Amino acid sequence: ETKIKQDKICIVGSGLIGRSFAMLFAASGYQVYLYDIQLAQVTDALDNIRIQLLNLEGMGLLRGTLTVDQQHSCIKGASDLGEAIKGAWFVLECVPERLDLKTVVYKSIDPLLEPNAILGSSASALVPSLLSKDLKNRNRFIVVHPTNPPFYAPLVELVPAPWTDADVLPAIKSLCTEIGQAPVVLNKEIDGFVLNRIQYAIIGECWNLVKAGVMSSEDVDKVMSEGLGRRYAFMGPLETAYLNADGWLSYKDRYAEMMERVTSNFEPFPKIEGPTLQKIHDEFARKIPLDQLDARREWRDARLAQLSKLKKEMDK
Ligand code: NAI
């Protein structure tokens, strides 16, 4: 049974990711203070969160045992940064991915942090040493990179800076697990972290195959959605390979030479420009006109929701 806690968490930036995190923390009973430079964003977030919570309830996917009203009342809008941060043991920055902007935001957060409070960033690619180098509290800094949409794709990449105190990672790891997300840890920082590095490797090869005229964009995507993606929804490529032979040593005997031959003529990551850019864009625009993106996002999220439900059932 989920209990309403007194522990306070502050979120700075109430856009797409800030509001998702607010919901995740509130579902575990945390007191969440949501701040934004634009007050209208906070008001909009609070309205939008209620709608999202009701939708989740309708699908049987509300997390924890608190009701929609209880979860919603755990989230409070704040118009003053000091008020939002006061008493919070964890402050999570969710402002746009620009180093200059994040740096300015940290300058105002840094002096307001409670002693030993942790400062997290939902940065997608910027490394923590770059983000936190000038902070007084840089030893309390950690990147907490979620996956969109966080409710249906629970992966969170945790990236401490080289100077982050040893107690920060386990504290945030257990928080992520408690709220039902799936944390992974980068033992050292690397630009783009792991999710985006793998994602870009895939996008690069898809692009190069379309450019070479091997397949249409639609069919290349189908290779993922009907093939690789189906398998990867439940286990990763390394375990998939392990099972495709009798373990990795046998996989090596059977496939290593082929893997090396095939990848020896891989093109480097392409320049995202020119006729291939137009071709890929046009192929999708014919199928999903730009004024119908929201409908297609809903289509996607409804399927991701059902997949979450299936996984929840099967992993019981
Ligand atoms: P967003 O644009 O939806 O929201 C950003 C919010 O920050 C806005 O509400 C804006 O008013 C607010 N903001 C701007 N300047 C501010 C300031 N000085 N103080 C307080 N609030 C301020 O952006 P989104 O998508 O939520 O991204 C936030 C972070 O999360 C970025 O670092 C992004 O890379 C990362 N991220 C985004 C994902 C996505 O798919 N959208 C996935 C994973 C991480």
Side-chain angles (χ1 to χ4, degrees), residues 12-18 35-38 41 93-97 101-102 105 122-124 145-148:
V12 178
S14 54
L16 189 67
I17 294 301
Y35 170 84
D36 201 284
I37 191 114
Q38 289 183 41
Q41 274 289 82
E93 166 275 307
C94 301
V95 306
E97 187 88 1
L101 176 63
K102 287 193 192 277
V105 171
S122 62
S124 299
H145 171 224
T147 310
N148 199 38

Side-chain angles (χ1 to χ4, degrees), residues 36-48:
D36 201 284
I37 191 114
Q38 289 183 41
L39 194 55
Q41 274 289 82
V42 179
T43 324
D44 183 60
L46 290 170
D47 292 345
N48 175 261

